Amino acid sequence: ILLSIDGVKEVTDYYRGAGVYDKVLKAARYLRSINVKADLIARMSVSEHTKLYRDVVHLLSLDIFDHVHWQLDVIWSDRWVDFDSWLEKSYLPDLKKLVNLWATKLREGIVLGIAPFLGIVKAMFFEDLPAPPCGSGVEAFAINTDGTILACPIAVDVKWAKIGNIKDTSLKNLKSLFKIGEPCSSCNIFKYCGGRCLYAYYERLWGEGGFRKICRATKYLVSLIEELRDEIASLIDKGKVDIEKLDYPKFLNTIEIIP
Ligand code: SF4
């Protein structure tokens, strides 16, 4: 179960409307109170007012969500004032801080449920991720209320993503319609990134330059987890971390993995 919440109250309510933060937490607490058997995921949209470290740590500290995941608001948003400065001065340093926190906890045998880190670790140690990692258009499809099948749940405005109708389209006809090609297929982190996002890959609404800026963030994140590879392997070997908790997601739950 993915609940949309962007971090602290002021950020969530700024982007989603007054009172949303409280309503989402009320829903999450209700789900906990009925012992729902599900992976409860806080699903953040990350934008200019986000402070990644503060907001992820806040959501983890609530002790309600099993996992926290975020996606950068970088596909079509024109609300950014200065994306470049935010990336360099806020997002990338916070990513490093967050990876350091995650690694420190891991050494203590605690696996913080930070979904992007775990997804990369999964591709590193357990099994390949689909490309794109959410499986959109290759293993995951969305169905509109009129039965239209979409390659990707956010791609409601483009013809290429409408690929059939549940009344007359067989699943086997959908499987090989999309393939992430260049520049991703020859990128040295394709194994982890998989082209990141089907919609962004096809539409490139921020142009080629914008696309590459997000690659910079992705490559930096992967490099931070790569630096931990030997240590993670050793912690697994010595049984210091619960391997079950590192193997996430257990099944394709359509989180994007790569923010
Ligand atoms: S980092 Fe960029 S070029 Fe590399 S796979 Fe991801 S989206 Fe494609």
Side-chain angles (χ1 to χ4, degrees):
I1 300 175
L2 289 99
L3 296 177
S4 296
I5 184 166
D6 299 333
V8 295
K9 184 180 169 89
E10 72 201 70
V11 172
T12 303
D13 285 3
Y14 177 83
Y15 285 115
R16 296 184 187 269
V20 170
Y21 175 90
D22 289 337
K23 282 194 175 150
V24 173
L25 286 192
K26 191 174 169 198
R29 288 194 178 107
Y30 169 72
L31 290 167
R32 281 286 173 237
S33 76
I34 60 168
N35 290 322
V36 69
K37 301 264 181 299
D39 177 16
L40 213 54
I41 305 169
R43 207 280 192 187
M44 306 163 64
S45 280
V46 161
S47 209
E48 203 155 13
H49 287 260
T50 307
K51 291 193 177 2
L52 188 76
Y53 184 84
R54 174 198 65 189
D55 289 315
V56 171
V57 168
H58 170 72
L59 291 173
L60 291 171
S61 75
L62 297 172
D63 216 15
I64 299 175
F65 298 104
D66 298 297
H67 293 94
V68 176
H69 178 58
W70 69 90
Q71 186 74 346
L72 292 165
D73 175 24
V74 290
I75 294 177
W76 52 65
S77 178
D78 55 6
R79 285 189 294 199
W80 290 92
V81 176
D82 188 350
F83 175 77
D84 293 355
S85 292
W86 176 84
L87 189 73
E88 299 300 328
K89 292 183 187 153
S90 176
Y91 184 68
L92 298 182
D94 269 9
L95 257 187
K96 189 169 174 53
K97 228 168 127 186
L98 205 52
V99 170
N100 285 344
L101 172 73
W102 188 77
T104 302
K105 291 289 176 189
L106 207 61
R107 288 172 201 126
E108 296 165 13
I110 298 165
V111 180
L112 292 180
I114 302 179
F117 303 171
L118 291 169
I120 294 168
V121 167
K122 184 180 178 96
M124 207 172 262
F125 292 100
F126 302 103
E127 64 183 90
D128 287 348
L129 303 170
C134 63
S136 277
V138 288
E139 292 180 23
F141 305 93
I143 298 165
N144 276 354
T145 48
D146 66 356
T148 304
I149 303 170
L150 298 175
C152 157
I154 64 165
V156 292
D157 60 335
V158 285
K159 273 201 192 128
W160 60 261
K162 294 190 175 117
I163 51 177
N165 192 292
I166 47 168
K167 293 181 198 116
D168 52 25
T169 309
S170 148
L171 184 61
K172 67 174 185 298
N173 295 334
L174 300 177
K175 286 262 174 172
S176 47
L177 294 176
F178 298 96
K179 194 167 169 44
I180 301 279
E182 295 299 343
C184 301
S185 45
S186 53
C187 173
N188 61 356
I189 61 156
F190 185 64
K191 173 184 169 63
Y192 305 113
C193 176
R196 183 177 163 266
C197 166
L198 188 73
Y199 187 88
Y201 178 81
Y202 273 82
E203 290 298 314
R204 308 212 187 173
L205 297 179
W206 277 20
E208 203 55 35
F211 185 83
R212 295 290 184 177
K213 281 181 193 177
I214 313 311
C215 296
R216 161 144 169 67
T218 305
K219 287 178 178 180
Y220 185 63
L221 167 60
V222 170
S223 75
L224 292 172
I225 304 293
E226 280 275 13
E227 281 169 21
L228 295 172
R229 179 197 283 266
D230 291 349
E231 194 178 358
I232 296 170
S234 156
L235 290 168
I236 294 173
D237 274 356
K238 290 177 188 153
K240 289 214 170 144
V241 285
D242 182 352
I243 196 162
E244 281 298 304
K245 287 190 181 160
L246 275 184
D247 184 6
Y248 182 82
K250 287 273 179 291
F251 58 90
L252 181 64
N253 61 8
T254 74
I255 60 164
E256 297 90 343
I257 308 278
I258 298 298

